[in-house]
Amino acid sequence: MTTPSKKAHENPGLTNAQRTAVLKALADPRRFELLERIARHRCPLGCAEALAEMPISAATLSHHIKELETAGVIEVRREGKYAFLSLRPGVLEGLASVLCLLGTAGCRPPDAK
């Protein structure tokens, strides 16, 4: 039986639609920058702290957060009027494994003689 803590770190088996949503969300440079900040922070990043580190308006930050959350890349925990951002476990790892498989799926080069 899988324990809840182990399950959180397993490959989530992203569907084609989920992979597409994640890739579209990460295609925007500001969203990718926000994702990098969340990842570097290594614990939930407060929205106020994210806003202070990025040269964008609160409305723009809110939009980017919503896009990343909708794509399933981040989780948003709300505590009263505050919100804290963290990476959704396994999503980026699942996407990375799919992308790595693409690199090995092609034709093999002929043996060198």
Side-chain angles (χ1 to χ4, degrees):
M1 179 182 254
T2 304
T3 62
S5 60
K6 268 189 168 179
K7 193 170 187 165
H9 296 289
E10 290 176 358
N11 181 337
L14 301 176
T15 66
N16 287 340
Q18 290 168 321
R19 285 193 307 257
T20 300
V22 170
L23 289 168
K24 282 182 179 180
L26 297 180
D28 182 278
R30 286 287 185 205
R31 279 196 284 275
F32 195 83
E33 181 184 353
L34 175 58
L35 184 74
E36 287 177 315
R37 289 179 187 282
I38 294 168
R40 277 196 307 265
H41 203 263
R42 297 185 188 256
C43 56
L45 175 66
C47 287
E49 188 175 349
L51 184 60
E53 295 176 1
M54 297 181 74
I56 57 177
S57 69
T60 301
L61 177 66
S62 179
H63 168 73
H64 290 317
I65 289 169
K66 189 65 180 170
E67 291 293 321
L68 290 170
E69 183 181 27
T70 300
V73 179
I74 65 169
E75 295 175 341
V76 180
R77 186 187 78 226
R78 290 170 174 54
E79 291 182 14
K81 65 179 183 175
Y82 300 102
F84 298 91
L85 314 171
S86 57
L87 296 178
R88 187 166 163 235
V91 173
L92 296 177
E93 294 83 355
L95 181 62
S97 5
V98 169
L99 294 175
C100 286
L101 287 174
L102 293 176
T104 60
C107 296
R108 295 195 180 264
D111 291 335
K113 292 185 180 183

